[in-house]
């Protein structure tokens, strides 16, 4: 089984710029309680993801490629959101610039410049033992 299950939005095939937004509710998890947004998913299985983890109390931007994950940036932490409550995770992509935040939580933000633009499919991410509910996944595609 995969350590990082994905749910992929079948109708979005080539997201390059815009905003991804989802409401999430952390329910349980033995090692972590987290929620994430995937972007730049490629046919070879590589992708980027923005995730919130309540045990770490932070947002982080990661890259998955060749069966390995690499953290690109951790945002400021120390905000442990309660289980059982709905929150909104947002990701904006503009060229190489990625911005992430949990709405209403000023300390749960991050910004990072990728080395090159990304494109691909989008979706949702969790760790294998996390129990997370998602609703209202929204994709806003930027137009030139």
């Amino acid at each position: 089984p995969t350590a990082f299950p994905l749910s992929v939005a079948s109708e979005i095939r080539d997201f390059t710029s815009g905003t991804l937004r989802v409401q999430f509710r952390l329910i349980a998890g033995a090692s972590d309680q987290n929620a994430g947004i995937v972007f730049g998913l490629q046919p070879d299985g590589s992708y980027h993801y923005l995730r919130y983890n309540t045990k770490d109390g932070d947002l982080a931007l990661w890259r998955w490629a060749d069966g390995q994950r690499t953290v690109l940036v951790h945002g400021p932490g120390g905000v442990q959101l309660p289980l059982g409550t709905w929150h909104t995770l947002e990701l904006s992509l503009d060229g190489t610039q990625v911005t992430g935040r949990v709405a209403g939580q000023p300390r749960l933000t991050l910004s990072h410049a990728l080395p090159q633009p990304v494109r691909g499919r989008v979706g949702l991410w969790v760790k294998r033992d996390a129990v997370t509910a998602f609703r209202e996944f929204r994709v806003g595609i930027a137009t030139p």
Side-chain angles (χ1 to χ4, degrees):
T2 181
F4 309 106
L6 304 179
S7 177
V8 179
S10 61
E11 66 279 6
I12 307 296
R13 298 188 179 278
D14 196 28
F15 180 82
T16 59
S17 187
T19 302
L20 305 171
R21 180 177 294 118
V22 69
Q23 290 184 357
F24 68 94
R25 183 171 49 125
L26 305 170
I27 299 169
S31 68
D32 285 310
Q33 294 108 33
N34 52 46
I37 295 175
V38 171
F39 64 104
L41 176 61
Q42 296 297 305
D44 68 1
S46 63
Y47 59 88
H48 290 81
Y49 64 100
L50 172 75
R51 70 94 181 108
Y52 169 76
N53 182 333
T54 201
K55 287 199 173 182
D56 295 340
D58 72 354
L59 281 179
L61 181 64
W62 293 78
R63 168 95 172 117
W64 176 266
D66 301 319
Q68 300 291 320
R69 67 183 181 140
T70 305
V71 67
L72 303 178
V73 64
H74 278 278
V79 181
Q80 294 181 309
L81 298 175
L83 302 184
T85 303
W86 288 102
H87 305 279
T88 302
L89 182 62
E90 299 177 355
L91 178 141
S92 296
L93 179 63
D94 184 6
T96 61
Q97 191 63 40
V98 178
T99 304
R101 73 184 190 108
V102 174
Q105 299 290 331
R107 291 183 46 211
L108 292 177
T109 62
L110 63 75
S111 187
H112 182 74
L114 299 170
Q116 60 191 22
V118 297
R119 62 184 326 126
R121 300 189 89 126
V122 299
L124 303 173
W125 174 99
V126 295
K127 270 185 146 176
R128 176 178 37 218
D129 75 334
V131 181
T132 304
F134 292 97
R135 69 181 184 191
E136 298 187 26
F137 182 55
R138 307 265 189 223
V139 179
I141 298 175
T143 54

